[in-house]
PDB file of all heavy atoms in Angstrom:
ATOM      1  N   ALA A   7       0.786  -1.112   0.003  1.00 88.00           N
ATOM      2  CA  ALA A   7      -0.015   0.044   0.016  1.00 88.00           C
ATOM      3  C   ALA A   7       0.912   1.269  -0.059  1.00 88.00           C
ATOM      4  O   ALA A   7       0.655   2.249  -0.716  1.00 88.00           O
ATOM      5  CB  ALA A   7      -0.888   0.036   1.199  1.00 88.00           C
ATOM      6  N   ALA A   8       1.956   1.205   0.785  1.00 88.00           N
ATOM      7  CA  ALA A   8       2.885   2.427   0.857  1.00 88.00           C
ATOM      8  C   ALA A   8       3.535   2.560  -0.407  1.00 88.00           C
ATOM      9  O   ALA A   8       3.694   3.714  -0.942  1.00 88.00           O
ATOM     10  CB  ALA A   8       3.893   2.174   1.910  1.00 88.00           C
ATOM     11  N   GLU A   9       4.003   1.457  -1.146  1.00 85.00           N
ATOM     12  CA  GLU A   9       4.655   1.553  -2.474  1.00 85.00           C
ATOM     13  C   GLU A   9       3.711   2.079  -3.511  1.00 85.00           C
ATOM     14  O   GLU A   9       4.167   2.880  -4.390  1.00 85.00           O
ATOM     15  CB  GLU A   9       5.234   0.173  -2.801  1.00 85.00           C
ATOM     16  CG  GLU A   9       6.100   0.240  -4.143  1.00 85.00           C
ATOM     17  CD  GLU A   9       6.676  -1.083  -4.435  1.00 85.00           C
ATOM     18  OE1 GLU A   9       6.560  -2.090  -3.696  1.00 85.00           O
ATOM     19  OE2 GLU A   9       7.215  -1.189  -5.565  1.00 85.00           O
ATOM     20  N   ALA A  10       2.446   1.648  -3.590  1.00 87.00           N
ATOM     21  CA  ALA A  10       1.507   1.986  -4.495  1.00 87.00           C
ATOM     22  C   ALA A  10       0.985   3.426  -4.322  1.00 87.00           C
ATOM     23  O   ALA A  10       0.490   4.015  -5.272  1.00 87.00           O
ATOM     24  CB  ALA A  10       0.406   0.948  -4.581  1.00 87.00           C
ATOM     25  N   GLY A  11       0.993   3.862  -3.027  1.00 90.00           N
ATOM     26  CA  GLY A  11       0.407   5.151  -2.773  1.00 90.00           C
ATOM     27  C   GLY A  11      -1.081   5.224  -2.549  1.00 90.00           C
ATOM     28  O   GLY A  11      -1.640   6.295  -2.707  1.00 90.00           O
ATOM     29  N   VAL A  12      -1.691   4.122  -2.086  1.00 91.00           N
ATOM     30  CA  VAL A  12      -3.168   4.156  -1.767  1.00 91.00           C
ATOM     31  C   VAL A  12      -3.384   4.749  -0.362  1.00 91.00           C
ATOM     32  O   VAL A  12      -2.395   4.843   0.428  1.00 91.00           O
ATOM     33  CB  VAL A  12      -3.756   2.742  -1.805  1.00 91.00           C
ATOM     34  CG1 VAL A  12      -3.694   2.154  -3.257  1.00 91.00           C
ATOM     35  CG2 VAL A  12      -3.122   1.860  -0.894  1.00 91.00           C
ATOM     36  N   ASP A  13      -4.559   5.218  -0.149  1.00 93.00           N
ATOM     37  CA  ASP A  13      -4.916   5.885   1.119  1.00 93.00           C
ATOM     38  C   ASP A  13      -5.073   4.893   2.304  1.00 93.00           C
ATOM     39  O   ASP A  13      -4.835   5.246   3.406  1.00 93.00           O
ATOM     40  CB  ASP A  13      -6.100   6.736   0.952  1.00 93.00           C
ATOM     41  CG  ASP A  13      -5.819   7.843  -0.074  1.00 93.00           C
ATOM     42  OD1 ASP A  13      -4.802   8.515  -0.024  1.00 93.00           O
ATOM     43  OD2 ASP A  13      -6.722   8.079  -0.923  1.00 93.00           O
ATOM     44  N   ASP A  14      -5.494   3.745   1.971  1.00 93.00           N
ATOM     45  CA  ASP A  14      -5.918   2.776   3.011  1.00 93.00           C
ATOM     46  C   ASP A  14      -5.886   1.333   2.437  1.00 93.00           C
ATOM     47  O   ASP A  14      -5.778   1.141   1.172  1.00 93.00           O
ATOM     48  CB  ASP A  14      -7.254   3.071   3.589  1.00 93.00           C
ATOM     49  CG  ASP A  14      -7.445   2.508   4.996  1.00 93.00           C
ATOM     50  OD1 ASP A  14      -6.596   1.724   5.481  1.00 93.00           O
ATOM     51  OD2 ASP A  14      -8.555   2.702   5.569  1.00 93.00           O
ATOM     52  N   PHE A  15      -5.892   0.323   3.319  1.00 92.00           N
ATOM     53  CA  PHE A  15      -5.902  -1.017   2.768  1.00 92.00           C
ATOM     54  C   PHE A  15      -6.718  -1.946   3.730  1.00 92.00           C
ATOM     55  O   PHE A  15      -6.963  -1.632   4.884  1.00 92.00           O
ATOM     56  CB  PHE A  15      -4.500  -1.598   2.624  1.00 92.00           C
ATOM     57  CG  PHE A  15      -3.800  -1.695   3.878  1.00 92.00           C
ATOM     58  CD1 PHE A  15      -3.865  -2.955   4.695  1.00 92.00           C
ATOM     59  CD2 PHE A  15      -2.976  -0.709   4.444  1.00 92.00           C
ATOM     60  CE1 PHE A  15      -3.147  -3.128   5.906  1.00 92.00           C
ATOM     61  CE2 PHE A  15      -2.336  -0.875   5.586  1.00 92.00           C
ATOM     62  CZ  PHE A  15      -2.427  -2.083   6.346  1.00 92.00           C
ATOM     63  N   LEU A  16      -7.207  -3.057   3.168  1.00 90.00           N
ATOM     64  CA  LEU A  16      -7.905  -4.012   3.911  1.00 90.00           C
ATOM     65  C   LEU A  16      -7.131  -5.287   3.677  1.00 90.00           C
ATOM     66  O   LEU A  16      -7.160  -5.847   2.535  1.00 90.00           O
ATOM     67  CB  LEU A  16      -9.422  -4.166   3.419  1.00 90.00           C
ATOM     68  CG  LEU A  16     -10.235  -5.294   3.995  1.00 90.00           C
ATOM     69  CD1 LEU A  16     -10.446  -4.933   5.567  1.00 90.00           C
ATOM     70  CD2 LEU A  16     -11.579  -5.430   3.375  1.00 90.00           C
ATOM     71  N   ALA A  17      -6.589  -5.871   4.698  1.00 86.00           N
ATOM     72  CA  ALA A  17      -5.759  -7.062   4.640  1.00 86.00           C
ATOM     73  C   ALA A  17      -6.505  -8.323   4.945  1.00 86.00           C
ATOM     74  O   ALA A  17      -7.628  -8.263   5.633  1.00 86.00           O
ATOM     75  CB  ALA A  17      -4.568  -6.927   5.531  1.00 86.00           C
ATOM     76  N   GLU A  18      -5.991  -9.471   4.523  1.00 80.00           N
ATOM     77  CA  GLU A  18      -6.643 -10.775   4.738  1.00 80.00           C
ATOM     78  C   GLU A  18      -8.132 -10.692   4.454  1.00 80.00           C
ATOM     79  O   GLU A  18      -9.018 -11.229   5.254  1.00 80.00           O
ATOM     80  CB  GLU A  18      -6.316 -11.162   6.212  1.00 80.00           C
ATOM     81  CG  GLU A  18      -4.850 -11.377   6.519  1.00 80.00           C
ATOM     82  CD  GLU A  18      -4.569 -11.737   7.961  1.00 80.00           C
ATOM     83  OE1 GLU A  18      -5.436 -11.484   8.833  1.00 80.00           O
ATOM     84  OE2 GLU A  18      -3.479 -12.215   8.257  1.00 80.00           O
ATOM     85  N   ALA A  19      -8.489 -10.132   3.362  1.00 80.00           N
ATOM     86  CA  ALA A  19      -9.883  -9.859   3.023  1.00 80.00           C
ATOM     87  C   ALA A  19     -10.494 -11.073   2.381  1.00 80.00           C
ATOM     88  O   ALA A  19      -9.912 -11.755   1.530  1.00 80.00           O
ATOM     89  CB  ALA A  19      -9.913  -8.666   2.015  1.00 80.00           C
ATOM     90  N   THR A  20     -11.745 -11.338   2.863  1.00 78.00           N
ATOM     91  CA  THR A  20     -12.587 -12.353   2.222  1.00 78.00           C
ATOM     92  C   THR A  20     -13.607 -11.708   1.373  1.00 78.00           C
ATOM     93  O   THR A  20     -13.888 -10.452   1.566  1.00 78.00           O
ATOM     94  CB  THR A  20     -13.197 -13.255   3.340  1.00 78.00           C
ATOM     95  OG1 THR A  20     -14.097 -12.384   4.104  1.00 78.00           O
ATOM     96  CG2 THR A  20     -12.208 -13.907   4.211  1.00 78.00           C
ATOM     97  N   PRO A  21     -14.380 -12.457   0.520  1.00 79.00           N
ATOM     98  CA  PRO A  21     -15.512 -11.762  -0.225  1.00 79.00           C
ATOM     99  C   PRO A  21     -16.498 -11.093   0.725  1.00 79.00           C
ATOM    100  O   PRO A  21     -16.982 -10.063   0.415  1.00 79.00           O
ATOM    101  CB  PRO A  21     -16.158 -13.002  -0.985  1.00 79.00           C
ATOM    102  CG  PRO A  21     -14.939 -13.899  -1.231  1.00 79.00           C
ATOM    103  CD  PRO A  21     -14.110 -13.752   0.071  1.00 79.00           C
ATOM    104  N   GLU A  22     -16.691 -11.781   1.942  1.00 84.00           N
ATOM    105  CA  GLU A  22     -17.632 -11.188   2.833  1.00 84.00           C
ATOM    106  C   GLU A  22     -17.176  -9.863   3.447  1.00 84.00           C
ATOM    107  O   GLU A  22     -17.928  -8.904   3.646  1.00 84.00           O
ATOM    108  CB  GLU A  22     -17.969 -12.219   4.007  1.00 84.00           C
ATOM    109  CG  GLU A  22     -18.655 -13.467   3.581  1.00 84.00           C
ATOM    110  CD  GLU A  22     -17.758 -14.413   2.862  1.00 84.00           C
ATOM    111  OE1 GLU A  22     -16.478 -14.298   2.892  1.00 84.00           O
ATOM    112  OE2 GLU A  22     -18.297 -15.424   2.284  1.00 84.00           O
ATOM    113  N   MET A  23     -15.864  -9.774   3.687  1.00 87.00           N
ATOM    114  CA  MET A  23     -15.267  -8.614   4.236  1.00 87.00           C
ATOM    115  C   MET A  23     -15.365  -7.494   3.195  1.00 87.00           C
ATOM    116  O   MET A  23     -15.629  -6.281   3.560  1.00 87.00           O
ATOM    117  CB  MET A  23     -13.875  -8.853   4.689  1.00 87.00           C
ATOM    118  CG  MET A  23     -13.762  -9.703   5.861  1.00 87.00           C
ATOM    119  SD  MET A  23     -11.988 -10.183   6.239  1.00 87.00           S
ATOM    120  CE  MET A  23     -11.347  -8.594   6.653  1.00 87.00           C
ATOM    121  N   LYS A  24     -15.152  -7.784   1.937  1.00 87.00           N
ATOM    122  CA  LYS A  24     -15.225  -6.814   0.915  1.00 87.00           C
ATOM    123  C   LYS A  24     -16.645  -6.171   0.817  1.00 87.00           C
ATOM    124  O   LYS A  24     -16.822  -4.994   0.783  1.00 87.00           O
ATOM    125  CB  LYS A  24     -14.789  -7.288  -0.427  1.00 87.00           C
ATOM    126  CG  LYS A  24     -13.413  -7.802  -0.548  1.00 87.00           C
ATOM    127  CD  LYS A  24     -13.156  -8.380  -1.900  1.00 87.00           C
ATOM    128  CE  LYS A  24     -11.861  -9.126  -1.987  1.00 87.00           C
ATOM    129  NZ  LYS A  24     -11.594  -9.749  -3.271  1.00 87.00           N
ATOM    130  N   LEU A  25     -17.591  -7.101   0.843  1.00 88.00           N
ATOM    131  CA  LEU A  25     -19.018  -6.671   0.825  1.00 88.00           C
ATOM    132  C   LEU A  25     -19.351  -5.727   2.038  1.00 88.00           C
ATOM    133  O   LEU A  25     -20.019  -4.716   1.936  1.00 88.00           O
ATOM    134  CB  LEU A  25     -19.959  -7.928   0.853  1.00 88.00           C
ATOM    135  CG  LEU A  25     -20.389  -8.452  -0.501  1.00 88.00           C
ATOM    136  CD1 LEU A  25     -21.273  -9.706  -0.307  1.00 88.00           C
ATOM    137  CD2 LEU A  25     -21.123  -7.368  -1.316  1.00 88.00           C
ATOM    138  N   ALA A  26     -18.886  -6.215   3.239  1.00 90.00           N
ATOM    139  CA  ALA A  26     -19.139  -5.385   4.429  1.00 90.00           C
ATOM    140  C   ALA A  26     -18.565  -3.985   4.341  1.00 90.00           C
ATOM    141  O   ALA A  26     -19.182  -3.053   4.744  1.00 90.00           O
ATOM    142  CB  ALA A  26     -18.621  -6.107   5.671  1.00 90.00           C
ATOM    143  N   LEU A  27     -17.344  -3.903   3.825  1.00 92.00           N
ATOM    144  CA  LEU A  27     -16.692  -2.631   3.713  1.00 92.00           C
ATOM    145  C   LEU A  27     -17.477  -1.708   2.764  1.00 92.00           C
ATOM    146  O   LEU A  27     -17.716  -0.515   3.013  1.00 92.00           O
ATOM    147  CB  LEU A  27     -15.251  -2.825   3.175  1.00 92.00           C
ATOM    148  CG  LEU A  27     -14.531  -1.545   2.836  1.00 92.00           C
ATOM    149  CD1 LEU A  27     -14.302  -0.663   4.058  1.00 92.00           C
ATOM    150  CD2 LEU A  27     -13.094  -1.838   2.328  1.00 92.00           C
ATOM    151  N   ILE A  28     -17.945  -2.246   1.524  1.00 92.00           N
ATOM    152  CA  ILE A  28     -18.697  -1.395   0.609  1.00 92.00           C
ATOM    153  C   ILE A  28     -19.966  -0.995   1.256  1.00 92.00           C
ATOM    154  O   ILE A  28     -20.350   0.261   1.207  1.00 92.00           O
ATOM    155  CB  ILE A  28     -18.974  -2.215  -0.682  1.00 92.00           C
ATOM    156  CG1 ILE A  28     -17.672  -2.400  -1.375  1.00 92.00           C
ATOM    157  CG2 ILE A  28     -19.962  -1.490  -1.556  1.00 92.00           C
ATOM    158  CD1 ILE A  28     -17.739  -3.350  -2.579  1.00 92.00           C
ATOM    159  N   ARG A  29     -20.704  -1.841   1.913  1.00 92.00           N
ATOM    160  CA  ARG A  29     -21.949  -1.504   2.554  1.00 92.00           C
ATOM    161  C   ARG A  29     -21.818  -0.520   3.633  1.00 92.00           C
ATOM    162  O   ARG A  29     -22.653   0.317   3.781  1.00 92.00           O
ATOM    163  CB  ARG A  29     -22.659  -2.765   3.031  1.00 92.00           C
ATOM    164  CG  ARG A  29     -23.209  -3.713   1.943  1.00 92.00           C
ATOM    165  CD  ARG A  29     -23.644  -5.000   2.438  1.00 92.00           C
ATOM    166  NE  ARG A  29     -24.299  -5.798   1.392  1.00 92.00           N
ATOM    167  CZ  ARG A  29     -24.497  -7.109   1.499  1.00 92.00           C
ATOM    168  NH1 ARG A  29     -24.072  -7.802   2.589  1.00 92.00           N
ATOM    169  NH2 ARG A  29     -24.905  -7.763   0.449  1.00 92.00           N
ATOM    170  N   ARG A  30     -20.678  -0.595   4.370  1.00 93.00           N
ATOM    171  CA  ARG A  30     -20.398   0.403   5.381  1.00 93.00           C
ATOM    172  C   ARG A  30     -20.139   1.734   4.869  1.00 93.00           C
ATOM    173  O   ARG A  30     -20.695   2.778   5.383  1.00 93.00           O
ATOM    174  CB  ARG A  30     -19.152  -0.091   6.305  1.00 93.00           C
ATOM    175  CG  ARG A  30     -18.962   0.711   7.516  1.00 93.00           C
ATOM    176  CD  ARG A  30     -18.016  -0.014   8.440  1.00 93.00           C
ATOM    177  NE  ARG A  30     -16.737  -0.284   7.914  1.00 93.00           N
ATOM    178  CZ  ARG A  30     -16.273  -1.446   7.572  1.00 93.00           C
ATOM    179  NH1 ARG A  30     -16.975  -2.578   7.794  1.00 93.00           N
ATOM    180  NH2 ARG A  30     -15.036  -1.641   7.132  1.00 93.00           N
ATOM    181  N   GLU A  31     -19.351   1.879   3.805  1.00 92.00           N
ATOM    182  CA  GLU A  31     -19.141   3.143   3.126  1.00 92.00           C
ATOM    183  C   GLU A  31     -20.474   3.756   2.504  1.00 92.00           C
ATOM    184  O   GLU A  31     -20.761   4.895   2.644  1.00 92.00           O
ATOM    185  CB  GLU A  31     -18.123   2.974   1.957  1.00 92.00           C
ATOM    186  CG  GLU A  31     -16.746   2.574   2.486  1.00 92.00           C
ATOM    187  CD  GLU A  31     -15.988   3.738   3.126  1.00 92.00           C
ATOM    188  OE1 GLU A  31     -16.567   4.918   3.194  1.00 92.00           O
ATOM    189  OE2 GLU A  31     -14.892   3.534   3.658  1.00 92.00           O
ATOM    190  N   GLN A  32     -21.231   2.864   1.924  1.00 91.00           N
ATOM    191  CA  GLN A  32     -22.539   3.266   1.323  1.00 91.00           C
ATOM    192  C   GLN A  32     -23.550   3.729   2.356  1.00 91.00           C
ATOM    193  O   GLN A  32     -24.248   4.722   2.231  1.00 91.00           O
ATOM    194  CB  GLN A  32     -23.145   2.207   0.484  1.00 91.00           C
ATOM    195  CG  GLN A  32     -22.435   1.894  -0.721  1.00 91.00           C
ATOM    196  CD  GLN A  32     -22.911   0.667  -1.567  1.00 91.00           C
ATOM    197  OE1 GLN A  32     -23.395  -0.344  -0.833  1.00 91.00           O
ATOM    198  NE2 GLN A  32     -22.730   0.597  -2.872  1.00 91.00           N
ATOM    199  N   ALA A  33     -23.505   3.101   3.574  1.00 91.00           N
ATOM    200  CA  ALA A  33     -24.424   3.546   4.648  1.00 91.00           C
ATOM    201  C   ALA A  33     -24.055   4.926   5.176  1.00 91.00           C
ATOM    202  O   ALA A  33     -24.789   5.559   5.731  1.00 91.00           O
ATOM    203  CB  ALA A  33     -24.299   2.455   5.776  1.00 91.00           C
ATOM    204  N   GLY A  34     -22.746   5.287   4.973  1.00 90.00           N
ATOM    205  CA  GLY A  34     -22.224   6.579   5.379  1.00 90.00           C
ATOM    206  C   GLY A  34     -22.519   7.637   4.324  1.00 90.00           C
ATOM    207  O   GLY A  34     -21.966   8.757   4.407  1.00 90.00           O
ATOM    208  N   GLY A  35     -23.273   7.360   3.249  1.00 87.00           N
ATOM    209  CA  GLY A  35     -23.577   8.202   2.203  1.00 87.00           C
ATOM    210  C   GLY A  35     -22.569   8.402   1.198  1.00 87.00           C
ATOM    211  O   GLY A  35     -22.598   9.282   0.334  1.00 87.00           O
ATOM    212  N   LYS A  36     -21.588   7.433   1.137  1.00 89.00           N
ATOM    213  CA  LYS A  36     -20.518   7.506   0.024  1.00 89.00           C
ATOM    214  C   LYS A  36     -20.959   6.694  -1.153  1.00 89.00           C
ATOM    215  O   LYS A  36     -21.701   5.680  -1.055  1.00 89.00           O
ATOM    216  CB  LYS A  36     -19.284   6.900   0.531  1.00 89.00           C
ATOM    217  CG  LYS A  36     -18.752   7.563   1.855  1.00 89.00           C
ATOM    218  CD  LYS A  36     -18.283   9.001   1.663  1.00 89.00           C
ATOM    219  CE  LYS A  36     -17.647   9.540   2.868  1.00 89.00           C
ATOM    220  NZ  LYS A  36     -17.246  10.939   2.693  1.00 89.00           N
ATOM    221  N   LEU A  37     -20.533   7.165  -2.342  1.00 89.00           N
ATOM    222  CA  LEU A  37     -20.656   6.401  -3.542  1.00 89.00           C
ATOM    223  C   LEU A  37     -19.355   5.654  -3.814  1.00 89.00           C
ATOM    224  O   LEU A  37     -18.282   6.206  -3.723  1.00 89.00           O
ATOM    225  CB  LEU A  37     -20.944   7.249  -4.771  1.00 89.00           C
ATOM    226  CG  LEU A  37     -22.461   7.252  -5.240  1.00 89.00           C
ATOM    227  CD1 LEU A  37     -23.262   7.990  -4.161  1.00 89.00           C
ATOM    228  CD2 LEU A  37     -22.578   7.949  -6.548  1.00 89.00           C
ATOM    229  N   VAL A  38     -19.427   4.325  -3.969  1.00 91.00           N
ATOM    230  CA  VAL A  38     -18.279   3.433  -3.972  1.00 91.00           C
ATOM    231  C   VAL A  38     -18.075   2.836  -5.386  1.00 91.00           C
ATOM    232  O   VAL A  38     -19.037   2.345  -6.001  1.00 91.00           O
ATOM    233  CB  VAL A  38     -18.404   2.346  -2.903  1.00 91.00           C
ATOM    234  CG1 VAL A  38     -17.279   1.392  -2.965  1.00 91.00           C
ATOM    235  CG2 VAL A  38     -18.666   2.829  -1.513  1.00 91.00           C
ATOM    236  N   ALA A  39     -16.823   2.928  -5.821  1.00 90.00           N
ATOM    237  CA  ALA A  39     -16.492   2.268  -7.041  1.00 90.00           C
ATOM    238  C   ALA A  39     -15.448   1.056  -6.681  1.00 90.00           C
ATOM    239  O   ALA A  39     -14.663   1.178  -5.749  1.00 90.00           O
ATOM    240  CB  ALA A  39     -15.770   3.176  -7.989  1.00 90.00           C
ATOM    241  N   MET A  40     -15.561  -0.049  -7.327  1.00 88.00           N
ATOM    242  CA  MET A  40     -14.763  -1.211  -7.147  1.00 88.00           C
ATOM    243  C   MET A  40     -14.058  -1.635  -8.437  1.00 88.00           C
ATOM    244  O   MET A  40     -14.796  -1.795  -9.334  1.00 88.00           O
ATOM    245  CB  MET A  40     -15.644  -2.246  -6.462  1.00 88.00           C
ATOM    246  CG  MET A  40     -15.013  -3.665  -6.472  1.00 88.00           C
ATOM    247  SD  MET A  40     -13.706  -3.838  -5.138  1.00 88.00           S
ATOM    248  CE  MET A  40     -13.111  -5.523  -5.472  1.00 88.00           C
ATOM    249  N   CYS A  41     -12.807  -1.870  -8.401  1.00 82.00           N
ATOM    250  CA  CYS A  41     -12.114  -2.508  -9.520  1.00 82.00           C
ATOM    251  C   CYS A  41     -11.663  -3.869  -9.170  1.00 82.00           C
ATOM    252  O   CYS A  41     -11.023  -4.075  -8.069  1.00 82.00           O
ATOM    253  CB  CYS A  41     -10.867  -1.569  -9.895  1.00 82.00           C
ATOM    254  SG  CYS A  41     -11.342  -0.085 -10.728  1.00 82.00           S
ATOM    255  N   GLY A  42     -11.822  -4.753  -9.953  1.00 78.00           N
ATOM    256  CA  GLY A  42     -11.437  -6.167  -9.655  1.00 78.00           C
ATOM    257  C   GLY A  42     -11.428  -7.032 -10.924  1.00 78.00           C
ATOM    258  O   GLY A  42     -11.880  -6.616 -11.984  1.00 78.00           O
ATOM    259  N   ASP A  43     -10.773  -8.249 -10.834  1.00 76.00           N
ATOM    260  CA  ASP A  43     -10.617  -9.077 -11.953  1.00 76.00           C
ATOM    261  C   ASP A  43     -10.892 -10.533 -11.670  1.00 76.00           C
ATOM    262  O   ASP A  43     -10.990 -11.385 -12.590  1.00 76.00           O
ATOM    263  CB  ASP A  43      -9.328  -8.883 -12.639  1.00 76.00           C
ATOM    264  CG  ASP A  43      -8.188  -9.379 -11.739  1.00 76.00           C
ATOM    265  OD1 ASP A  43      -8.407  -9.590 -10.561  1.00 76.00           O
ATOM    266  OD2 ASP A  43      -7.022  -9.459 -12.163  1.00 76.00           O
ATOM    267  N   GLY A  44     -11.022 -10.885 -10.328  1.00 73.00           N
ATOM    268  CA  GLY A  44     -11.144 -12.345 -10.018  1.00 73.00           C
ATOM    269  C   GLY A  44     -12.577 -12.677  -9.672  1.00 73.00           C
ATOM    270  O   GLY A  44     -13.461 -11.868  -9.439  1.00 73.00           O
ATOM    271  N   THR A  45     -12.845 -13.969  -9.635  1.00 72.00           N
ATOM    272  CA  THR A  45     -14.123 -14.451  -9.283  1.00 72.00           C
ATOM    273  C   THR A  45     -14.525 -14.061  -7.817  1.00 72.00           C
ATOM    274  O   THR A  45     -15.673 -13.765  -7.584  1.00 72.00           O
ATOM    275  CB  THR A  45     -14.135 -16.038  -9.371  1.00 72.00           C
ATOM    276  OG1 THR A  45     -13.862 -16.358 -10.746  1.00 72.00           O
ATOM    277  CG2 THR A  45     -15.526 -16.520  -9.061  1.00 72.00           C
ATOM    278  N   ASN A  46     -13.504 -14.103  -6.931  1.00 72.00           N
ATOM    279  CA  ASN A  46     -13.775 -13.636  -5.601  1.00 72.00           C
ATOM    280  C   ASN A  46     -14.115 -12.115  -5.501  1.00 72.00           C
ATOM    281  O   ASN A  46     -14.591 -11.697  -4.419  1.00 72.00           O
ATOM    282  CB  ASN A  46     -12.670 -13.956  -4.716  1.00 72.00           C
ATOM    283  CG  ASN A  46     -11.340 -13.184  -5.069  1.00 72.00           C
ATOM    284  OD1 ASN A  46     -11.109 -12.819  -6.206  1.00 72.00           O
ATOM    285  ND2 ASN A  46     -10.495 -12.862  -4.118  1.00 72.00           N
ATOM    286  N   ASP A  47     -13.963 -11.335  -6.509  1.00 79.00           N
ATOM    287  CA  ASP A  47     -14.232  -9.966  -6.525  1.00 79.00           C
ATOM    288  C   ASP A  47     -15.686  -9.818  -6.979  1.00 79.00           C
ATOM    289  O   ASP A  47     -16.278  -8.663  -6.811  1.00 79.00           O
ATOM    290  CB  ASP A  47     -13.331  -9.248  -7.472  1.00 79.00           C
ATOM    291  CG  ASP A  47     -11.974  -9.207  -7.025  1.00 79.00           C
ATOM    292  OD1 ASP A  47     -11.752  -9.155  -5.761  1.00 79.00           O
ATOM    293  OD2 ASP A  47     -11.044  -9.250  -7.928  1.00 79.00           O
ATOM    294  N   ALA A  48     -16.327 -10.792  -7.551  1.00 82.00           N
ATOM    295  CA  ALA A  48     -17.680 -10.581  -8.130  1.00 82.00           C
ATOM    296  C   ALA A  48     -18.764 -10.060  -7.228  1.00 82.00           C
ATOM    297  O   ALA A  48     -19.562  -9.115  -7.650  1.00 82.00           O
ATOM    298  CB  ALA A  48     -18.152 -11.946  -8.857  1.00 82.00           C
ATOM    299  N   PRO A  49     -18.910 -10.576  -5.942  1.00 85.00           N
ATOM    300  CA  PRO A  49     -19.892 -10.043  -5.073  1.00 85.00           C
ATOM    301  C   PRO A  49     -19.739  -8.537  -4.791  1.00 85.00           C
ATOM    302  O   PRO A  49     -20.667  -7.743  -4.787  1.00 85.00           O
ATOM    303  CB  PRO A  49     -19.722 -10.837  -3.823  1.00 85.00           C
ATOM    304  CG  PRO A  49     -19.137 -12.142  -4.292  1.00 85.00           C
ATOM    305  CD  PRO A  49     -18.238 -11.714  -5.367  1.00 85.00           C
ATOM    306  N   ALA A  50     -18.485  -8.098  -4.578  1.00 85.00           N
ATOM    307  CA  ALA A  50     -18.196  -6.753  -4.341  1.00 85.00           C
ATOM    308  C   ALA A  50     -18.513  -5.856  -5.604  1.00 85.00           C
ATOM    309  O   ALA A  50     -18.979  -4.742  -5.478  1.00 85.00           O
ATOM    310  CB  ALA A  50     -16.752  -6.509  -3.890  1.00 85.00           C
ATOM    311  N   LEU A  51     -18.128  -6.403  -6.713  1.00 87.00           N
ATOM    312  CA  LEU A  51     -18.411  -5.630  -8.014  1.00 87.00           C
ATOM    313  C   LEU A  51     -19.899  -5.448  -8.155  1.00 87.00           C
ATOM    314  O   LEU A  51     -20.329  -4.387  -8.625  1.00 87.00           O
ATOM    315  CB  LEU A  51     -17.752  -6.321  -9.143  1.00 87.00           C
ATOM    316  CG  LEU A  51     -16.253  -6.336  -9.376  1.00 87.00           C
ATOM    317  CD1 LEU A  51     -15.856  -7.377 -10.325  1.00 87.00           C
ATOM    318  CD2 LEU A  51     -15.754  -4.937  -9.690  1.00 87.00           C
TER     319      LEU A  51
END
């Protein structure tokens, strides 16, 4: 994360954790974009 320059990170993430993070951000009134390429990214996408 430090090398890439992102603002935050979620480690040891499962598909359920990704979904929970998106829903938490959306519940706070945020619009969320998700980039991914794997089957495990499909629920979050």
Side-chain angles (χ1 to χ4, degrees):
E9 183 179 354
V12 296
D13 298 312
D14 202 354
F15 65 88
L16 177 67
E18 297 177 342
T20 63
E22 293 77 13
M23 291 172 67
K24 296 177 189 179
L25 269 180
L27 175 59
I28 292 175
R29 288 170 177 165
R30 189 163 61 249
E31 294 285 356
Q32 290 172 331
K36 305 291 187 181
L37 257 68
V38 180
M40 166 76 185
C41 286
D43 63 348
T45 300
N46 65 330
D47 296 322
L51 287 169

